[in-house]
Amino acid sequence: MTNTIQQQLIHYTQQAVKELYQSDLPDNQVTIQETRKEFEGQLTIVVFPITRFSKKPPEVTGTEIGTYLRGRMPELVAFNTIKGFLNLSLSDGYWANLFNSQIMQGDFGVFPPNGRKLMVEYSSPNTNKPLHLGHIRNNLLGYSVASILKAYGYTVIKANLVNDRGIHICKSMLAWQRWGNGETPESSGLKGDHLVGKYYVLFDKAYKREIDELKANGYSEEVAKRQAPIIREAQQMLQQWEAGDAVVIALWKTMNSWVYAGFERTYGRLGVDFDKYYYESDTYLLGKDIIQEGLDKGVFFRKEDNSVWIDLTADGLDEKLVLRGDGTSVYITQDLGTAQLKYDDFGMEESIYVVGNEQDYHFKVLFLILKKLGKPWASGLFHLSYGMVDLPSGKMKSREGTVVDADDLMDEMVATAKIRTEELGKTEGLSVSEKNHLYQLIGMGALKYFLLKVEPKKRLLFDPSESIDFQGHTGPFIQYTHARIKSVLAKGNYSLDLLAVVPDTLSASERDLIQLLGNYPAVIEAAAKEFSPAQLANYCYEVAKQYNKFYHEETILKAEKDAVRNFRLHLSAATARTIAAGMELLGIKVPERM
């Protein structure tokens, strides 16, 4: 949603080049950006690309274009050219009109349905252990991208492909059979996913002991890993599961049900949800029809051992196994089948896979195979690859000392939020339940914002203490700004029908705030097109920062004229609405009071 003034500027700049230099300037050669704070103006046209048509220095070209625009756009009251940048100043009347006719309207930033359907697949947990810090980034990214795309007009399906079968699941099951003594989540007081994870760890410890014993008896490590009795028993259990053994299936269903109950509690605290669950136990045999289809089409080939492959060397990749010689699936087989199943179920034009960057190569291969098979929907597939999350060394070790448990991290965030909030005295007049609600909002807001403000592809260092800072580039700073605005509005008895006229002359901080609020639809559009919640997160911070500048520079409640007071209350209310709407698309709630 390029705003109208930018469309006008593009149009008149092209006309200027046509008339002044007898040349056609393509749309993509007109770059308009916000004017840097140290210069006069609000919008800037980059002149350098135009000099190849004007054959004149940037300063001269900028002055000629600026003079042309000024003569045709009444909103333009002044311009200056600095090196290759043409800085434009728009009239206060333009900003007043933008505020009244767009920003103050109830549907501002709301996009109409675009008639397109899209799936976002995220979370994808294993049912042998609890969710961890990496899963938190995955879930928050998936949920926020889905929310932003929905706001942009898509029909969105949120999907979760659960890895609920395989040798790792059998390890937990076998350990529980051996050492569980009938323990359940109810009898132990543990969340179901933590209980099952405990037995996965017990299996791992026993397995390592057996490997060490075999090595002590002269076996190589590789042979010891294969021959350890406990791993062979787990493999036998997997074969029994695949054969439909009633006892094994019953235990599998019971332990998975414990895990799902635990996951739902974690998802509930994270504030994420799903429209559709897929389970690997239902999909792991899929894909074999597609392998046959590929053989028939000559896309795949068989080797002497009966295994099926695809040669992608001409595409800069390698040969890829797609079916084992004994006819059993590999991961890519299942993923081919699941991709087809998802399309058959929903018929979406686009599908986004939110998966860590360690799987970059896998998705390149998967999407390329589907294109070679002639699947018309394959061009709509996208891997939203994200980087690892690191913690400052020595902090927040998990129960197993390897990865940070999601529930533990959320507990710590809320506890830290409580300490910080009480230190700053921001809970006066709140009841115990209101305080606890506030600590949850701030703790979870800090966690979510810190993980979402960084571009997905970047690896990030998550510092829990840095994330809960009421003055920094953080969620709590934005939340506190929202609460501050709500307090101002309450003291001013604000209502939407308060009569207000935008002043003839705006202060710099008022003008800057209106300009920033006016960018909201364009930010939603950019975040949607680039699958980047970071763009929206950073925008919310800029709005909060600019509001605080306005709050400190201008008198609101004690303004000399009622019209000015009312206008500033409306401007405050519009800011609060924009912050709340933007943060909601990040999955972050903002408090009414602090």
Side-chain angles (χ1 to χ4, degrees), residues 31 68 137 187 196 287 355 453 529 575:
T31 302
Y68 183 94
R137 188 176 199 190
S187 71
V196 172
V355 182
K453 73 178 181 179
K529 285 183 171 176
T575 304

Side-chain angles (χ1 to χ4, degrees), residues 57-287:
E59 291 86 349
V60 176
T61 305
T63 301
E64 289 180 350
I65 299 282
T67 304
Y68 183 94
L69 296 176
R70 180 92 194 271
R72 284 155 185 80
M73 295 180 67
E75 304 95 331
L76 194 57
V77 292
F79 69 87
N80 62 83
T81 305
I82 296 173
K83 295 183 179 173
F85 300 96
L86 170 59
N87 303 319
L88 309 170
S89 295
L90 300 168
S91 69
D92 285 348
Y94 166 77
W95 297 112
N97 182 56
L98 175 69
F99 184 71
N100 285 329
S101 65
Q102 293 185 43
I103 295 168
M104 281 299 291
Q105 302 309 306
D107 61 353
F108 182 66
V110 177
F111 288 78
N114 62 19
R116 293 178 68 79
K117 193 184 289 182
L118 180 147
M119 178 179 281
V120 183
E121 181 197 293
Y122 61 100
S123 198
S124 307
N126 295 333
T127 59
N128 62 315
K129 52 190 174 184
L131 302 176
H132 55 68
L133 176 56
H135 286 119
I136 291 183
R137 188 176 199 190
N138 181 302
N139 279 282
L140 298 181
L141 264 178
Y143 180 83
S144 182
V145 165
S147 299
I148 290 166
L149 288 164
K150 191 175 177 185
Y152 187 49
Y154 281 91
T155 297
V156 178
I157 305 114
K158 292 177 280 190
N160 187 349
L161 175 60
V162 182
N163 188 354
D164 66 336
R165 65 166 288 282
I167 191 69
H168 52 292
I169 314 292
C170 291
K171 289 176 180 179
S172 295
M173 290 162 60
L174 181 59
W176 184 86
Q177 271 186 337
R178 283 197 181 185
W179 304 298
N181 295 316
E183 186 177 35
T184 66
E186 291 73 27
S187 71
S188 65
L190 284 174
K191 266 177 91 236
D193 50 336
H194 289 151
L195 179 64
V196 172
K198 169 182 144 181
Y199 286 99
Y200 184 72
V201 172
L202 286 175
F203 178 95
D204 200 46
K205 286 176 179 169
Y207 183 31
K208 282 174 179 162
R209 277 197 306 272
E210 289 187 3
I211 291 169
D212 289 342
E213 285 167 13
L214 288 169
K215 281 163 69 180
N217 288 323
Y219 289 86
S220 71
E221 180 154 1
E222 195 178 320
V223 172
K225 281 180 176 176
R226 282 202 311 270
Q227 297 297 330
I230 197 167
I231 194 68
R232 295 182 71 168
E233 201 175 332
Q235 287 162 347
Q236 186 184 354
M237 182 181 269
L238 179 59
Q239 289 166 351
Q240 290 171 320
W241 182 90
E242 290 182 354
D245 182 284
V247 174
V248 172
I249 295 287
L251 176 60
W252 171 76
K253 284 182 175 175
T254 298
M255 291 182 72
N256 271 353
S257 72
W258 296 345
V259 174
Y260 297 142
F263 284 172
E264 284 309 310
R265 281 170 59 187
T266 305
Y267 288 144
R269 284 187 77 183
L270 275 175
V272 304
D273 58 7
F274 306 92
D275 303 307
K276 174 72 176 177
Y277 283 87
Y278 289 98
Y279 298 93
E280 200 188 321
S281 55
D282 296 329
T283 63
Y284 82 105
L285 295 176
L286 291 176

